[in-house]
Amino acid sequence: MPSIRYPDGRLPTLLAVLYVLVAYGAGLALLVHASLWSWPLGVLLLGHSLVIGAYLIHDCTHQAVFFERHWNARLGSLLSVLAGGCYGTYDGLRLKHMRHHVDRADVVAFDYRAILIAHPWLRRLVEALEWAYIPAVELLMHFLVIYSPFVVEHYRPLRRRVLFWLALRGAAFVALGLFSWPALLGYAVAYLLFLNVMRLMDMHQHTFEVVVGLDAEPGERPDQAYEQRNTFSNPFGHSRLLNLLVLNFGYHNAHHEKPTVPWYRLPQLHHELYDKGEEPVLPARRFLASMHRHRVARVMNADHGDQTIGLPPAQGPGFMGTYGVSFLTAI
């Protein structure tokens, strides 16, 4: 039997996992029912189940759920099937995220911006979709996880895995569409909602350099002071309920200070680390406004370190933010 890492984590972990499974099933059932009230409710419930599942994966990568590494991997792998991250391996996903913490950088296998520069028509399409609030960059990153094993030699061992999950998930989507096309449409809308929520939290949390090459030997790593001054917290005010909707992921400075602290302890850790007047917190109204204002220009933007020195976080993000840094894509 798995051992919960922290004694006070049994109930929060159980409730969170149960919520993901129940909300996912109930959301699909409501989409199949497809009435004027059940369809939008099903979209919200299904999309939110994916959000909570993804942030539980994040805790698994930090060994913050179970003592045993293999149990964290099992839960993370199961949840990645629901969240659409199963085309890459859990170990690959975890490696990428650990590089983010250890190297204090946004580490990617390759930069999608180079692809857009090389294909102007694709850039125009992506920017048009982003203008319409469709997370095209994140969809492109997920597509590259599927596509890379067939064109990049390094990822060739993943071909069978990709084909297996394409066949299994593809058959499930076809069956769902034949049974209830409104449910399949609702799933697509819920998944887009999920991606938007995930990157809303991601895009303003760092002004780290974007480093290309998951297997490259890291150069000189920035120090912890650099990490903290280029990390920003974006909780939804002091509302416990609103922050629970994203498993307290907005308390990001606290997470980077002690990465193995589980999601339910992050608000307390944040308040222990920072005085109220010195919190590295971006006000919600300002990062939401920035998300809207720069949604197209952000496609080609890559933030760089220390660009906000002298700018108080309370005045809002003094930077544009970055797309394509999700921990769910193992490239």
Side-chain angles (χ1 to χ4, degrees), residues 190-209:
Y191 199 79
L192 294 179
L193 176 64
F194 156 63
L195 292 180
N196 270 311
V197 171
M198 295 296 293
R199 73 171 184 181
L200 168 65
M201 302 307 296
D202 285 335
M203 66 176 65
H204 291 122
Q205 289 184 332
H206 295 289
T207 45
F208 285 171
E209 304 287 346

Side-chain angles (χ1 to χ4, degrees), residues 38-53:
S38 70
W39 193 88
L41 181 59
V43 167
L44 292 175
L45 196 57
L46 179 59
H48 190 238
S49 73
L50 297 174
V51 170
I52 299 301

Side-chain angles (χ1 to χ4, degrees), residues 237-295:
H238 298 287
S239 169
R240 290 185 178 182
L241 178 59
L242 287 179
N243 285 302
L244 276 177
L245 292 177
V246 290
L247 283 194
N248 296 320
F249 197 70
Y251 295 101
H252 211 61
N253 288 80
H255 167 64
H256 271 259
E257 185 69 21
K258 295 184 178 181
T260 59
V261 169
W263 60 270
Y264 52 87
R265 291 186 180 181
L266 286 175
Q268 179 183 349
L269 176 61
H270 175 88
H271 294 307
E272 290 173 357
L273 290 173
Y274 308 107
D275 294 329
K276 190 170 184 179
E278 300 178 356
E279 293 177 299
V281 170
L282 302 174
R285 67 184 184 281
R286 294 190 182 274
F287 73 75
L288 287 169
S290 176
M291 180 272 295
H292 162 74
R293 185 178 302 117
H294 303 300
R295 66 189 186 279

